Amino acid sequence: MREANLIGGDWVDSDAGRTLEVLDPATDALVGRVPAMGRAETTRAVDAAAAAFPGWAARPAAARAATLREIASRMEAAKSGLAALVTAEQGKPLAEAAAEVEYAQSFFEVAAAAVDTLEDERPSVSGKSIRVRRRRVGVAVAITPWNFPIAMLAKKVAPALAAGCTQILKPAEQTPLSAIAFAEIAVEAGVPAGVFNLLTGDPAPIAEVLLADSRVRKLSFTGSTEVGRLLMRGGATNLLRLSLELGGHAPMLVFEDAGIESAVRIAMAAKYRNGGQTCICPNRFLVHESIHDAFVAALAAASAALVSGIGTQPGVALGPMIDDVAIAKVEAHVADAIRHGATLVTGGGRRRVAGAADRFHEPTVLAGCTGEMRCWREETFGPVCPVRSFRDDDEAIELANDSEYGLAAYAITSAPDRIERLGTSLQAGVIGINDPGPAVAAVPFGGVRHSGFGREGGRWGLEEYLELVTVSQVDD
Ligand code: NAP
């Protein structure tokens, strides 16, 4: 396993030889060590990306698309190794890690197919000949979180390279090894030196250099709303173009026409992916009063039956929380809800897993939740299902929209008029109707309100890396 960074086509260590340890969150075992890059190395990465930009941008779109397809096919060939690495540094069950690799791969296929959208347009304007050209913005930076180490980078690398930008990736400190494995694949697939660069290390000095360098023209960030705000402020001087994929607090609305069995199946699939450490996980369950008790009982039974464990063990559905801070937050949210009058229906504490670290939280269902509780207002990022009932559609929509976030929202219903209304009134960038997995590579994904702005996926993902230039010609 390689542990170096990639700058200008060279595999490099940090100038001072400093490294960061990567630990398995399930066992605390050492998985690897990566360079802790600093300011000088970051400047060299910008130099390399800026130098490579003209050549990559000038490459025919079909040639760039061929390179992306080659990356996808090499990821397919390397799937089991990549999945094992994701599980080792992130903790999710192996089957989920393999699904993540496939999801990541699909972004390269979709971006390769979308390069045709880079064509010029010629709107008709009387007396003039107009050509609207799409020009790639230049050097792009990607900063990604730990929860989907390989999918999050794919969502940014694929459209940037397809559009003709060059890129510098800074992955999360907890999960940098998947990014290094990806970088190896990119090199083997023929991505030229300097087109894709990778830096690992302490984010503050790296980000400071990237934000201050006027050669950087785009930043795509996925992570917390707090860090998103910080980067937006930091990017103001250079009027940096931003895509911010930030925190979520998705509601799931379960209407009276939902069958309990299918509603619970959908709720389980949406909620417990990556142990609830997913930005689009439902964090608030709103259930019609007529089916509330039956839904809560069935959700609690299904939740309690989930098996926790080390991600490589067979039958495991729930891995560890990523670190001690994360599990402490889950515990604090549960305690706060109970203190404010919630009923603990199942779970509520840690689960001991033999031979593993003490970082596993029981799947937990809390009924009778209200707006005063932290779990109802903040992202818990863990395996907790807070539930409350509603009387009618108006109340359900009002409660669902009562959040500063707006990433995903879910509803379980088959009533066409209601589905139409939900599509226009739920404050979210992604809405799943009876669909626990509305995020796929071919469609736009992103948030509203404090969940950020910008879209990833499909041709919309490429647009984030392109700017429109109007050439207006009047013939003599
Ligand atoms: P985070 O703390 O914001 O970290 C995300 C990335 O930002 C990491 O690479 C981190 O580096 C880096 N970072 C931290 N401080 C920074 C700074 N001062 N300057 C520049 N970069 C900095 O978020 P997280 O805890 O890893 O991820 C969980 C959050 O991501 C949740 O809120 C979740 O909802 C959100 N998320 C959103 C989406 C979406 O599509 N909207 C998808 C997934 C996750 P280090 O790791 O080195 O600290």
Side-chain angles (χ1 to χ4, degrees), residues 254-256 286-292 388-399 418:
V254 187
F255 289 93
E256 74 286 347
L286 292 151
V287 187
H288 190 266
E289 57 189 8
S290 64
I291 58 167
H292 172 271
R388 75 187 278 179
S389 65
F390 66 83
R391 278 185 311 277
D392 57 26
D393 290 20
D394 287 346
E395 188 186 19
I397 292 169
E398 193 185 323
L399 288 170
R418 176 184 283 149

Side-chain angles (χ1 to χ4, degrees), residues 239-309:
L239 293 175
L240 192 58
R241 213 177 137 131
L242 296 170
S243 300
L244 298 178
E245 304 284 349
L246 308 177
H249 197 36
M252 178 173 270
L253 282 56
V254 187
F255 289 93
E256 74 286 347
D257 61 333
I260 297 295
E261 199 180 309
S262 66
V264 168
R265 180 178 43 77
I266 293 164
M268 296 292 291
K271 175 68 223 182
Y272 290 111
R273 199 148 51 100
N274 200 15
Q277 303 173 108
T278 304
C279 54
I280 59 168
C281 272
N283 287 312
R284 295 173 290 146
F285 289 86
L286 292 151
V287 187
H288 190 266
E289 57 189 8
S290 64
I291 58 167
H292 172 271
D293 293 356
F295 176 83
V296 167
L299 180 66
S303 297
L306 290 176
V307 176
S308 299

Side-chain angles (χ1 to χ4, degrees), residues 67-147:
T67 306
L68 296 186
R69 289 198 180 94
E70 184 61 26
I71 291 176
S73 97
R74 285 175 183 265
M75 286 177 83
E76 171 65 30
K79 185 158 66 183
S80 59
L82 288 171
L85 197 51
V86 168
T87 293
E89 64 178 359
Q90 202 279 330
K92 67 182 63 176
L94 205 48
E96 282 193 35
E100 182 186 335
V101 176
E102 280 168 24
Y103 179 51
Q105 225 176 292
S106 66
F107 279 91
F108 289 92
E109 281 149 10
V110 164
V115 293
D116 293 338
T117 62
L118 311 187
E119 298 285 308
D120 294 352
E121 290 175 65
R122 296 178 183 277
S124 155
V125 174
S126 155
K128 296 180 176 201
S129 162
I130 304 284
R131 191 166 162 207
V132 178
R133 311 195 64 171
R134 285 185 166 74
R135 208 183 271 169
R136 52 284 300 160
V137 296
V139 175
V141 166
I143 301 181
T144 52
W146 49 263
N147 61 344

Side-chain angles (χ1 to χ4, degrees), residues 143-148 152 155 170-174 201-204 207 221-225 227-228 230-231 244-248 278-280 379 381 407 445 447 451 456:
I143 301 181
T144 52
W146 49 263
N147 61 344
F148 287 84
M152 293 299 145
K155 285 176 152 208
K170 207 298 288 169
E173 269 168 80
Q174 281 145 321
D202 180 10
F221 169 75
T222 298
S224 60
T225 298
V227 174
L230 207 110
L231 294 171
L244 298 178
E245 304 284 349
L246 308 177
T278 304
C279 54
I280 59 168
E379 197 180 25
F381 233 52
L407 185 55
F445 176 91
S451 291
E456 292 176 328

